[in-house]
Amino acid sequence: MIDTGLVKTKYCRPGVGHHLIQRKQILDQLSEACHYKLTLVTAPAGYGKSTAVLSWVNHITLPAAWFSIDEGDNDPVRFWRYLVAAMNHVFRNEHVDFIDLPINSETVDSGILAGLLIDKLYGVPADALIVLDDFHLIHDPEVRKSFTYFLNNMPSNFSVVLISRKELVSDFENFYIKNQVLVINHQNLSFSPDEINRFFILKGYHLSADELSWIEMKTEGWAAGLVVASLAVDKGRSLFHPDTNLPVLNHHIERFLKDQIFQKWPDEVRLFLSQTSILDRFSAPLCQAVTGLPDCRGILKRLLDYNNFIIPLEQDKVWFRYHHLFADFLRERLAEQDPSGGQLLFRKAGQWYQDNDYAQEAMDAYLKGGAYQKALDLFWIIYYPMLKIGEHTLLLKWMNQIPQACHQDDVVFCVAHAWLSAMDNQMEEAGIWANQSIVTYTKIESGLTDISVKNYMQALTCLAQADLAIRNLDAGRAAKWYATACGLQLKTCIMVGDLNLNQPSMLKTFYGYYGRLNKIDETYTAVCGALNRVVGDSAAYLIIMQIETQYERNQLDACYETLVKGFENIIKLGTPGSVVPAFIILAKIKRAAGNMTGAFTAIEEGRKRLNNGSKAHWSYLFDLFVASLYLGMNDVPEAEKWMDLGRVSVFDELSHTREYEHIIFSRYLIQANRTADAILLLNRLNTYARQENRLASQIEISCLLALAYDRNGDAAHALETLDQALSLGAEDGYARAYIDEAEPMRQLLKQYLKRKNPSKSCNMNNYAASLLSSFKDPEKPSVEPTAVNDAETLTRMEKRVLQLLLTNRSNAEIASEFGISIRTVKYHNSNIFSKMGVKNRMEALLKARKSGLLS
């Protein structure tokens, strides 16, 4: 769910105190925010920024998502999880929800998340607001970059309000240039004389004109100063009384808070205030767990009734926080009294958080309290759930805070640290921890008496080393480590998580060596069948890589049979990262056989198997592939229906996560006769893929670039680029990357072979000639079912299944005969009937006899 591990009060609109006056002047100014894309409410602490905006939001009828930021939100994944949760909390309707957005570091960095989120927001019909409180706490450049991209592209019916202690002019200069920003500063927020008077009347004070003038001079309309002034006197006593002390002109109120506020409370309340100051937000039960005081609910009510230094965080007034100025004062006081920094208090808080399922808050509290063993125990409880939602950076941050003494003999810790470091692209760190896992295992090996535990630990170190070797493109080393792991007897499979977070093809991932087919063979061929005993269902990813490799080498029958045998494993794994590549490769196989209806059907069947998690992103990849099918049929208008042309541009920032989208867009540009744009984008993509050392991408992009040059009438560049594409694909035996480009590529290959170039080896010409011979005669693609006219149309497995079908064998009997599942038999039946253009066995029997398939 979208709120997994999230604190609800951070993405819900806060409550308001009962001593709140309506300030018409500031409400009128804020009402202009609806006419601007961005509103900046900036002023130092204590000016009532949040209160003013909250009062305005409560005053109007527009839906408003509210995100209260804290220092921990300086992580792109965490920031966007909260912001999306805030939007889902307010903008969700019967047509739109936000639970299927893929929130991980790659989708955030690439802009995919922002793009998908923007698409969702177009389903919110009315004007709406998004408010981010304490935006000054965000200093992470990736967070600011992704948020700025979102601001620039969000729907026009949305307005964003940022509340900050610091000026934000430099961050949003382009909004100033376009006159799209409204600025409200401390001068606008300062209380007017009339508002000061009404504020004191609400507090029970009726001041004279001289007293009001004196208050205005002393406070300069500063909201926090007014609160202090209201607490500085008793009812009926003049502000000019000799004992009245109001040192607020320069906002130096620490001494006043101590002498006039803190010291006036009884010992029990002072203890409560000091000890709960460690909490960013608190409730009565949490306060009781931290302080041990019995009537925390009563104390909170007294504090809330007495002044405005305690702020409710929702309408129900269950969770609260202290005003920032008061919180700073309390924490400084606690630090003076407790040199340990309140570690015991943090430990108590951590235990309460854990007992009440606030796992992330518990981790932070345990670490601040020095309860490292408790933190480590909790870490392993939440490790996989957090890994699944993409919180790699936060997990790594926690691991780095746990002292070595707590994990010096922990192989699992070393391996997890290596994997997380690699995911965070800290390859040097990943290597250190992978090697440390071996050192640690060697150290504890002799003490492991349980052989199953021993084998499990050793297998972990092997997988960590194999993972590192693959990232370094060292296939031989990876194969050795995999072989060692497969030779161990394991009672429990190792959970390795999703091996594909964003790509439509396993060949495009680092586990697929970015398309180096020979390295895939060298690494996985010998162990593919045995790895399922080590990594369990995740071995399905390797089956997909094997299928894709066979397909690229034009071994269509072999890849189809591999798909059939492994289909149950893929469906059982069920992750989007396995489902999408599997059904796309199935669609490619059907397209290669001329069965376009089957190709479209495969994509729709795959779409049905997507779960809610990250569904929006993966479904869009399916949409892009459908668009590519129509582009291959020269049907540009139909392709446009499946593409979001508003979110993609020739000048987009490039990333491997959006590469597939940009490649399909390039295909569209070529078909739409925008070849100059296509050439520009493809050259950019080619440079980027070469820098990233991604072979499969380079081959596909180079092929498209050659076709774009050819369509543009630039034969020299077309042939030169094709030569580069052939040089890239020859060693690994690529075929379909060229063949799938159909007639334009066939004609270009003919030109290539006609060109006499002695500098090119015979091997390259032979390679081009072999590719040319693999092309079928051109025919118009059809989306109608293709009837079988001869035995060659069915694969070898389909023929064998058909023979048994026609002898009245049941599906169960056929499944038993071939050692496959009944579902797989039905899958074969569907393909056979589709290819033959029939609906059932009887029609298949008649058609088979007529066509000679039974002879």
Side-chain angles (χ1 to χ4, degrees), residues 127-304:
D127 291 345
L129 297 170
I130 301 170
V131 181
L132 284 77
D133 195 5
D134 286 333
F135 191 79
H136 60 274
L137 295 175
I138 296 299
H139 48 75
D140 182 87
E142 293 302 321
V143 174
R144 284 182 174 258
K145 173 184 170 184
S146 60
F147 182 70
T148 302
Y149 175 83
F150 169 77
L151 274 180
N152 281 317
N153 295 280
M154 69 181 183
S156 59
N157 58 310
F158 278 82
S159 298
V160 168
V161 178
L162 301 183
I163 304 172
S164 170
R165 292 189 192 180
K166 299 178 181 177
E167 297 291 340
L168 300 171
V169 176
S170 60
D171 296 85
F172 304 105
E173 286 181 352
N174 60 319
F175 291 94
Y176 283 89
I177 294 172
K178 298 176 183 178
N179 197 30
Q180 294 178 329
V181 61
L182 171 68
V183 178
I184 295 177
N185 57 28
H186 71 281
Q187 293 175 326
N188 306 114
L189 290 164
S190 296
F191 276 57
S192 68
D194 177 65
E195 289 171 337
I196 294 173
N197 185 35
R198 288 191 289 115
F199 172 83
F200 276 92
I201 291 174
L202 188 64
K203 292 281 191 178
Y205 296 94
H206 294 273
L207 305 182
S208 66
D210 288 341
E211 287 174 322
L212 286 172
S213 178
W214 188 72
I215 285 288
E216 183 185 6
M217 178 191 69
K218 280 286 189 178
T219 65
E220 300 175 351
W222 184 42
L226 295 177
V227 174
V228 170
S230 71
L231 300 172
V233 295
D234 295 323
K235 286 184 180 181
R237 186 172 70 178
S238 170
L239 285 172
F240 299 113
H241 190 278
D243 292 337
T244 299
N245 180 21
L246 195 63
V248 296
L249 181 59
N250 296 315
H251 305 174
H252 296 154
I253 65 171
E254 291 85 356
R255 180 177 298 177
F256 180 85
L257 289 173
K258 175 183 177 183
D259 296 339
Q260 301 297 321
I261 306 298
F262 188 79
Q263 295 296 344
K264 287 187 176 182
W265 285 106
D267 291 344
E268 180 187 51
V269 177
R270 290 205 301 270
L271 177 66
F272 177 93
L273 291 170
S274 293
Q275 294 189 343
T276 57
S277 68
I278 68 163
L279 305 170
D280 292 327
R281 50 191 59 83
F282 45 84
S283 64
L286 173 56
C287 292
Q288 186 167 343
V290 171
T291 66
L293 297 172
D295 188 25
C296 290
R297 196 176 305 276
I299 293 174
L300 284 171
K301 186 177 185 305
R302 291 169 65 190
L303 291 171
L304 190 63

Side-chain angles (χ1 to χ4, degrees), residues 380 383-384 387 411-413 415-416 419 423 437 441 452-467 481-482 484-499 511 530-542 573:
W380 294 122
Y383 175 73
Y384 283 109
L387 199 62
V411 173
V412 180
F413 186 95
V415 171
W419 280 341
M423 289 178 188
S437 71
Y441 173 75
S452 62
V453 173
K454 181 178 180 179
N455 287 348
Y456 186 85
M457 294 297 178
Q458 186 178 358
L460 277 176
T461 66
C462 292
L463 292 187
Q465 290 292 332
D467 187 84
W481 286 110
Y482 275 138
T484 303
C486 290
L488 299 168
Q489 296 296 319
L490 299 179
K491 288 185 178 181
T492 304
C493 293
I494 295 172
M495 295 179 65
V496 296
D498 291 343
L499 302 187
Y511 283 105
L531 263 176
N532 66 318
R533 298 196 304 270
V534 179
V535 298
D537 293 341
S538 294
Y541 287 111
L542 308 183
L573 178 60

Side-chain angles (χ1 to χ4, degrees), residues 57-70:
V57 169
N58 289 337
H59 181 72
I60 61 178
T61 58
L62 294 184
W66 190 288
F67 173 21
S68 298
I69 293 170
D70 59 40

Side-chain angles (χ1 to χ4, degrees), residues 377-388:
D377 293 341
L378 177 59
F379 179 87
W380 294 122
I381 295 174
I382 63 176
Y383 175 73
Y384 283 109
M386 292 196 64
L387 199 62
K388 191 172 182 180

